[in-house]
Amino acid sequence: MDETLNTIELATELTIAWLGNPNTRADADAVPAFLNSMHEAVNALAGNVAEPASEQPTEHVAAVSVRKSLASKDHIISMIDGKPYKTLRRHLSTHGTTPEEYRARYNLKADYPMVAQGYSEARRDMAKKIGLGRKPSKAVAANEAATEPKRRGRKPAQTEPA
């Protein structure tokens, strides 16, 4: 009890010092929150880390069903907020989750897509059009060699044997 009293007193003293600073502008609502954060910080430094009461696992309710989320080829509807996205990766990262965590949270199969089918096809067609993912054929290599300009210039001088 004596350690708890000391951490409370220390947190109170820190809060009073914070309020006594002429550069501090605080509302009456901010003072209890600051006092709580100071108390938690002092407890953590003292080694008296208390478990927060709100660390219960939260139940995540899907905004839409799995069937509805994959109903369109043009987009995937997020189960977090119910909005359509062409790709979910950036959306998930803004919510601090990975695709694996997202699938686990909503009990989705491991092959649940993170990219809309239409968007994936468009990207694949564009990549094929520019020639990504294939080795250049002999005809393409010969064509490139034919279009490459030939160097013109003097021949290197030959040295005479001594």
Side-chain angles (χ1 to χ4, degrees):
M1 182 85 178
D2 191 30
E3 288 180 17
T4 306
L5 185 60
N6 290 337
T7 59
I8 292 173
E9 287 177 1
L10 185 55
T12 305
E13 291 294 325
L14 288 169
T15 304
I16 291 170
W18 176 66
L19 290 171
N21 185 344
N23 295 324
T24 302
R25 295 182 183 170
D27 300 350
D29 298 333
V31 175
F34 184 80
L35 180 60
N36 283 335
S37 66
M38 279 295 111
H39 186 253
E40 289 174 7
V42 170
N43 272 337
L45 290 173
N48 302 334
V49 180
E51 290 292 322
S54 64
E55 285 296 321
Q56 310 255 339
T58 57
E59 183 68 27
H60 297 285
V61 179
V64 295
S65 67
V66 176
R67 177 176 276 181
K68 187 174 181 181
S69 72
L70 298 175
S72 175
K73 290 178 72 173
D74 297 330
H75 58 267
I76 297 176
I77 298 177
S78 169
M79 295 182 149
I80 296 173
D81 60 6
K83 295 180 182 176
Y85 297 94
K86 289 184 180 182
T87 177
L88 288 178
R89 289 190 192 274
R90 183 174 292 160
H91 168 64
L92 295 178
S93 67
T94 60
H95 289 281
T97 185
T98 64
E100 292 78 22
E101 292 170 351
Y102 179 76
R103 289 179 180 120
R105 177 186 292 180
Y106 297 109
N107 297 324
L108 302 171
K109 293 182 180 178
D111 63 347
Y112 182 86
M114 292 289 126
V115 179
Q117 184 180 0
Y119 183 68
S120 177
E121 289 171 358
R123 296 289 301 252
R124 184 184 67 227
D125 292 342
M126 184 180 8
K128 282 183 177 180
K129 184 178 178 181
I130 63 173
L132 293 178
R134 66 183 159 112
K135 295 179 183 177
S137 65
K138 293 179 182 177
V140 172
N143 188 18
E144 288 177 359
T147 59
E148 187 175 302
K150 294 183 179 180
R151 294 185 182 179
R152 293 187 178 207
R154 295 186 343 203
K155 290 184 181 180
Q158 293 182 354
T159 59
E160 295 181 19

